[in-house]
Amino acid sequence: MAEVAPGVFVATARQYTTTTTVVAGADGGCLVIDPAVTPADLDALAAWLSARGLRPVAGWSTHPHWDHVLWSRSLGADVVRYATPRAVAAAARELHSSLGDVDRSAPGHDLTLFARLEPLLGAEIAWDGPRAVVVAHEAHAPGHGALFLPETGVLVAGDMCSDIEIPLLDIGAADPFGGYRAGLGALAALPRVRVVVPGHGHVGHAAEFRRRVAADFGYLDAVEAGHDVGDPRLAADWLRREHERQVALALDEARTD
């Protein structure tokens, strides 16, 4: 667990280099964002919180994919966990397939707590702690909601702005490339981002955030233009496969224009 800004802590799991973010609030309360990945990881998180005198009072899921809607009784079975309304609807719609994903990839979770989310209707999480502003968009997954902490300049970006993953589009969206560009643009427009926390990858500071945004726009430009992509993040086989799907999608869209 690393303190990336005053009162903001990030743990990185071995599996998928997945991050969990904790924001300390008043009187020992804390906001827990995207706790992941294995049951052992979540129990270790709960033990660390207890040792620090912190207790979860709210949770946030940045998007409805299975590895971002996990929870455990050790974190508090009755803690309210929020997501954007579109993310909550998507999680409910995809619950059956997501349960299969978690059972295959991280078995042993308490499935009665899996994806038990409440829609957040406002633009900020109402809790006794630092302001947590929701940046809702449609990149990567329906109702993706990054959290920006303006007091410390921390952006918890969900599955975007990664140093190890290319932009991964929501292939089933009406406009996958346009939606991703709009979402990335919304993050890029935030004032005074000092720290970026991707859902998978490593924490970066201000210059690295700007570099990642430029790299992601460059990737989208190259794929849509039909150019070769020399992105070093394409080393992993599964990312090459996702890249090929996205190249095929761009070709299909070009044919229909």
Side-chain angles (χ1 to χ4, degrees), residues 19-235:
T19 61
T20 297
T21 303
V22 174
V23 184
D27 299 323
C30 66
L31 169 65
V32 179
I33 306 165
D34 288 349
V37 174
T38 67
D41 290 330
L42 268 59
D43 286 343
L45 171 64
W48 183 89
L49 292 172
S50 178
R52 297 278 304 204
L54 295 171
R55 69 188 186 287
V57 295
W60 178 257
S61 289
T62 58
H63 61 288
H65 292 167
W66 74 266
D67 51 332
H68 295 265
V69 295
L70 300 166
W71 202 258
S72 73
R73 293 190 180 277
S74 59
L75 294 174
D78 296 326
V79 173
V80 179
R81 299 143 56 196
Y82 297 103
T84 69
R86 280 183 54 77
V88 173
R93 189 168 58 247
E94 301 298 328
L95 181 60
H96 180 74
S97 62
S98 294
L99 286 169
D101 291 336
V102 70
D103 188 54
R104 286 187 295 272
S105 300
H109 281 284
D110 183 345
L111 299 182
T112 65
L113 298 176
F114 180 73
R116 202 170 78 184
L117 305 173
E118 294 291 330
L120 184 75
L121 302 181
E124 299 189 21
I125 297 175
W127 76 298
D128 195 4
R131 288 182 62 206
V133 180
V134 178
V135 186
H137 55 77
E138 296 303 311
H140 182 66
H144 201 298
L147 275 189
F148 182 54
L149 312 175
E151 293 176 22
T152 53
V154 175
L155 171 61
V156 185
D159 280 3
M160 298 181 69
C161 301
S162 174
D163 60 326
I164 63 172
E165 293 183 354
I166 57 172
L168 297 170
L169 309 183
D170 181 4
I171 298 293
D175 183 7
F177 284 97
Y180 204 100
R181 286 182 180 278
L184 188 58
L187 301 184
L190 290 168
R192 295 181 294 280
V193 173
R194 301 186 186 96
V195 179
V196 61
V197 184
H200 303 279
H202 304 93
V203 173
H205 293 280
E208 174 64 8
F209 168 64
R210 293 191 294 271
R211 187 200 67 79
R212 292 182 193 181
V213 168
D216 286 351
F217 274 124
Y219 171 86
L220 297 172
D221 290 343
V223 171
E224 288 194 280
H227 297 161
D228 291 337
V229 177
D231 196 306
R233 295 173 292 184
L234 287 171

Side-chain angles (χ1 to χ4, degrees), residues 233-245:
R233 295 173 292 184
L234 287 171
D237 288 343
W238 76 272
L239 285 169
R240 290 291 306 179
R241 290 192 295 271
E242 291 299 319
H243 169 65
E244 289 163 4
R245 290 178 67 210

